[in-house]
Amino acid sequence: MPDWGLLLRRWLLLLALAPGLAAQAQRLPQPSAHVGGDEAAPVELATRAWTRAQLEAWWTALRRHAVAGGDHLAVPDELLPPAGATAWRPVVLPDVRVRPGAAVVSDAQGYEMRWYRVQVPAGSGEAQALYLPRLATLSAAVLARTGQGWRLLLDNQRVEREQWVQPLWLPLPGVGEPGLELVVALPVPVDSYRAVSRLWVGPRDALEKRWRWRVRMQSGLPQAASLTLAVLGCFALTLWMRRPDEGIYGLFALGAAAWMVRSLHYYMSPPASAPAQDWFWWVAHASMGWVMLTALLFALRFAQRRYRRLEQGLIAGVVLVSVASMPLWLRQLDLVVLQYAVTAAVAGVGIAWVAWLAWRERHSELRLMALALVAGGLVGAHDLAVLAGWAWPEHVFLMPFAMLAVTLSFLHAVQRRYVGTVEQVRARNSQLQENLDEQVSVLQAQNAQLREAERQQALLLERQRLMADMHDGLGSSLLSALVATEQGSMTQEQCVEVLRECVDDLRLVIDSLEPVGHDLVSLLATMRYRLGKRLQAGGLRLEWDVQDLPTLPWLEPPDALHVLRLMQEALNNVLKHARASRVRLVTRDHGRYVEIRVEDDGAGFDLQSIQHGRGLKSQIRRAQRLGGKLRIDSSPGNGTRLSLRLPVERKPPA
């Protein structure tokens, strides 16, 4: 399997180098007015002080010309580029004025119109174009000198609020034999920040590739990066809602939301009104601090312990910077550079702490995040230098690319934590399975011991039952016969009869131990075989009316013995007392219970006049032990019928 950690680290390295590659791409040779040359076109500069009224008149004239049309720009001479050669001087681009930390924003000092003139030489048959990679001024306009005066080629008022992030691109009209004189008009407040990159004029096809590349770097790729982060943030939010205890997902979602707010200017134009525009840019600038804060808090969650004071300090710093920079006070001050500088200082403290923790704890995920955060801090310093005009005025802002590297390091950390958690769960499950197997083995051994003890107990109980039955039945009969014989009160025939009954009783006990599979019919058939000859010798004809019966799950040997003794007692009573010639054994299935009947055609008796002796009471007790009911029907001269009803399903004793 591939080493995903190694692959991810290589991608992070490429992303860390991407800002440098992007910056280097901006420095690639650019086409110019010189055929085959790579230098920017030579530019001349003329300046003129303007009032706010003149600036408004200039913009009004440009808008009126865009509506009315025409080849000649009708404006007063004081608003047109200077005609005298002495007003122009060579200038080296980029032309940058550094933005102070807290600049005063006011119309009191007036404005300055800066005219940048470039000559397009004649003799080129290719279509030409004008290209400026970066402008940080008020709305630009491009004029071309013709025989009738100045012709307006471009008025950038419509997209003035996006001008700082969109390179200026202008396809030029055909160049005649005299060539073409172009002037780029850039108004700026006096003594305020401005940034004008180098200016290129050359073949349209060559410059258009550079222009498209710049558009992708300045707006296309940042838009894609912010959308990707927004999707990941939504996914993290759903995870956090399902698992609120995992705070890292909530921090990731919050950071993604803050970055989306930070990138709003890539998707929408700032508001037209000044107060709304102030709030728009405050939200955009302040959100960068919250992005930094959530990133640091996210990384600190992977440390071995929480550093609450550090977290509280970082939160307090970001909140203080956000509140202090609100456009509710100091509205006349441009605090953007100071705001970002303080935010960078707070971020530097947090990044240094994360880097120290990563070095001390030797945590691979934390080290990777610390590396990405350090790269992000360096890129942030680069962007602050570009924003303030301290260096690299033609570079694009690289923080979106750094955010990709930071995001990938975070995703790697989350993935490693997830994999680690899964491995821990698997290890715990394996340990639990081993413990379970061990407990199962112990329980199986205990169950085997318990079953053996139960078997021994059952054998003991069965032995005791057999001994009690033999003592009460067979033993008592033999002892009575022995005493009677010794006393001479029992004849030989009576002694033989007693011995025969003892033998029958012994056979009955033995038959009850035979496995009959809970089948009552098989049990009765065994009894018929044992007692048939004796009944026949007593002059009784046995009629066998036995139908199939359902098995009785509860019919164990002790219960079988009770059934056999009940039937034996009933048949003995018929044989001794009924003076019958026929006895009938009947079985019937009634669904919930089965019935066994013993019917004879003997003399019968009156149930009301007969006292219940020990034999009848013993039969009733046996029927109750079986969970059944015993009923006897008889009348003088009509024989006797004994009915035993047994349940198919018997409830266990409470």
Side-chain angles (χ1 to χ4, degrees), residues 429-447:
N429 289 340
S430 178
Q431 183 63 39
L432 289 175
Q433 186 63 42
E434 292 179 1
N435 295 340
L436 180 60
D437 293 341
E438 182 179 352
Q439 293 297 324
V440 168
S441 300
V442 172
L443 288 176
Q444 288 176 346
Q446 292 177 349
N447 288 336

Side-chain angles (χ1 to χ4, degrees), residues 217-233 251-267 283-295 340 376 379-380 383 397-407 410:
M217 294 296 297
Q218 283 192 179
S219 58
L221 290 179
Q223 287 177 354
S226 61
L227 288 176
T228 301
L229 196 57
V231 173
L232 293 175
L251 288 172
F252 191 96
L254 183 61
W259 182 256
M260 195 64 190
V261 174
R262 175 70 180 83
S263 306
L264 281 178
H265 55 272
Y266 290 113
Y267 304 97
V283 169
H285 296 320
S287 60
M288 190 64 228
W290 293 100
V291 172
M292 175 272 301
L293 176 64
T294 54
Y340 276 107
V379 169
D383 286 1
F397 294 104
L398 302 178
M399 186 53 72
F401 307 99
M403 281 303 301
L404 282 179
V406 173
T407 300
F410 288 177

Side-chain angles (χ1 to χ4, degrees), residues 243-535:
R243 302 184 61 183
D245 56 318
E246 292 287 349
I248 56 174
Y249 298 125
L251 288 172
F252 191 96
L254 183 61
W259 182 256
M260 195 64 190
V261 174
R262 175 70 180 83
S263 306
L264 281 178
H265 55 272
Y266 290 113
Y267 304 97
M268 59 182 295
S269 299
S273 65
Q277 194 171 129
D278 290 341
W279 281 104
F280 178 88
W281 287 117
W282 173 80
V283 169
H285 296 320
S287 60
M288 190 64 228
W290 293 100
V291 172
M292 175 272 301
L293 176 64
T294 54
L296 291 174
L297 294 179
F298 184 96
L300 289 172
R301 288 296 189 274
F302 286 81
Q304 293 179 356
R305 69 181 185 90
R306 292 283 298 274
Y307 295 88
R308 297 188 181 277
R309 290 188 177 180
L310 175 63
E311 294 178 2
Q312 293 170 357
L314 293 174
I315 294 173
V318 173
V319 171
L320 181 62
V321 172
S322 299
V323 173
S325 60
M326 281 184 176
L328 295 174
W329 36 77
L330 304 177
R331 296 178 60 88
Q332 300 301 318
L333 290 180
D334 180 7
L335 300 175
V336 174
V337 174
L338 180 61
Q339 177 182 359
Y340 276 107
V342 175
T343 302
V346 176
V349 173
I351 292 173
W353 191 274
V354 171
W356 176 73
L357 288 176
W359 175 81
R360 189 186 69 172
E361 297 182 2
R362 303 185 182 278
H363 194 288
S364 60
E365 290 79 12
L366 193 58
R367 285 185 173 184
L368 192 60
M369 287 188 289
L371 179 62
L373 288 173
V374 169
L378 296 176
V379 169
H382 164 273
D383 286 1
L384 179 59
V386 174
L387 178 68
W390 300 336
W392 309 300
E394 294 183 350
H395 283 196
V396 297
F397 294 104
L398 302 178
M399 186 53 72
F401 307 99
M403 281 303 301
L404 282 179
V406 173
T407 300
L408 284 178
S409 71
F410 288 177
L411 293 177
H412 171 70
V414 172
Q415 181 263 346
R416 290 286 298 174
R417 171 172 285 193
Y418 174 77
V419 171
T421 303
V422 171
E423 291 176 352
Q424 290 179 0
V425 171
R426 288 178 177 174
R428 291 176 182 175
N429 289 340
S430 178
Q431 183 63 39
L432 289 175
Q433 186 63 42
E434 292 179 1
N435 295 340
L436 180 60
D437 293 341
E438 182 179 352
Q439 293 297 324
V440 168
S441 300
V442 172
L443 288 176
Q444 288 176 346
Q446 292 177 349
N447 288 336
Q449 295 175 358
L450 182 60
R451 287 194 298 270
E452 179 62 22
E454 290 176 348
R455 190 180 70 83
Q456 294 295 335
Q457 181 69 14
L459 290 175
L460 177 61
L461 292 176
E462 187 67 15
R463 190 177 297 114
Q464 292 174 349
R465 182 184 66 81
L466 291 175
M467 290 174 63
D469 284 341
M470 294 180 69
H471 177 271
D472 296 340
L474 182 61
S476 178
S477 299
L478 289 175
L479 184 60
S480 298
L482 177 61
V483 172
T485 302
E486 288 178 347
Q487 295 177 354
S489 59
M490 180 178 289
T491 65
Q492 182 178 359
E493 290 79 6
Q494 291 174 334
C495 183
V496 171
E497 181 65 22
V498 171
L499 292 176
R500 186 177 288 111
E501 290 179 358
C502 289
V503 171
D504 290 340
D505 190 72
L506 180 60
R507 289 174 176 173
L508 201 67
V509 172
I510 295 173
D511 289 341
S512 69
L513 298 177
E514 291 293 332
V516 294
H518 310 291
D519 187 359
L520 189 58
V521 174
S522 298
L523 187 66
L524 295 176
T526 303
M527 185 193 69
R528 176 190 181 188
Y529 172 76
R530 296 293 187 188
L531 300 179
K533 292 181 179 180
R534 185 180 174 197
L535 294 175

Side-chain angles (χ1 to χ4, degrees), residues 607-624:
L607 290 176
Q608 301 298 327
S609 62
I610 295 298
Q611 296 294 328
H612 291 183
R614 255 178 35 186
L616 183 56
K617 291 180 180 180
S618 175
Q619 287 180 313
I620 294 175
R621 283 197 301 271
R622 289 185 188 277
Q624 291 174 348

Side-chain angles (χ1 to χ4, degrees), residues 119-129 151 171-182 201-202:
Q119 299 291 336
V120 182
S124 175
E126 297 182 80
Q128 302 290 301
R151 175 184 174 187
L172 297 176
V175 180
E177 289 297 329
L180 185 64
E181 179 182 346
L182 299 177
V201 177

